Amino acid sequence: MPIPLDLQHATEQFDRFLADARDTAGLGTRNQAYTMVEGVLAVFRRRLSVEEAIRFAGVLPPVLRAIFVADWDPAEPRRPFADRAALTAEVQDLRRHHNFAPASAIADVAAALRRNMDEDTLDRVLAALPEGAADYWKA
């Protein structure tokens, strides 16, 4: 069996996504965009059970899937979804002194994600996740 195309082109796909997220958020560098994306994914992951997180990770593009599960402590207590301002503050807490995520970070990453993967697949998995999951990924 040949290597799946999404794995063969994972780096290029991630580069396009990261540039899209950077530009959407009005950030200046890929490093700033990476920290924002990492924060958005980690904040979402904290609101899912292990099974739910695996289901969500399974539809992400390969590099985003890896970022989503990196440094994961499955024993960390599950957090409830909160209002957008509280969730954004949590995103901005990741590497606080080097984090340039704007107040629109979650929506910016959601918009870039939706432009860089199949939206129907994303929406289908979000519909099976806890209340608040679909709202989190609204662009």
Side-chain angles (χ1 to χ4, degrees):
M1 177 173 166
I3 299 170
L5 283 176
D6 66 333
L7 294 178
Q8 287 186 46
H9 299 285
T11 301
E12 295 93 345
Q13 184 182 33
F14 179 66
D15 286 342
R16 282 191 305 273
F17 164 79
L18 200 58
D20 190 351
R22 178 199 62 211
D23 295 346
T24 301
L27 297 174
T29 70
R30 292 168 39 87
N31 290 333
Q32 291 170 344
Y34 177 82
T35 295
M36 175 183 68
V37 168
E38 185 182 18
V40 168
L41 290 171
V43 167
F44 184 68
R45 185 185 65 214
R46 291 180 189 129
R47 276 121 186 109
L48 304 178
S49 69
V50 173
E51 294 81 8
E52 293 162 344
I54 295 298
R55 190 175 309 125
F56 178 74
V59 301
L60 291 174
V63 177
L64 290 176
R65 184 180 316 139
I67 294 167
F68 182 72
V69 300
D71 301 320
W72 183 10
D73 177 5
E76 180 181 12
R78 185 173 170 180
R79 299 181 190 183
F81 281 98
D83 64 54
R84 184 59 63 116
L87 295 168
T88 300
E90 190 178 332
V91 167
Q92 293 168 331
D93 274 344
L94 176 67
R95 292 189 288 284
R96 179 160 272 306
H97 300 295
H98 303 282
N99 190 326
F100 296 89
S104 58
I106 296 169
D108 295 340
V109 173
L113 182 63
R114 289 180 172 283
R115 286 190 292 267
N116 286 274
M117 68 173 290
D118 182 72
E119 279 193 86
D120 291 336
T121 301
L122 177 61
D123 289 334
R124 193 168 33 258
V125 76
L126 290 173
L129 297 179
E131 186 176 337
D135 284 342
Y136 188 88
W137 290 104
K138 284 187 179 171

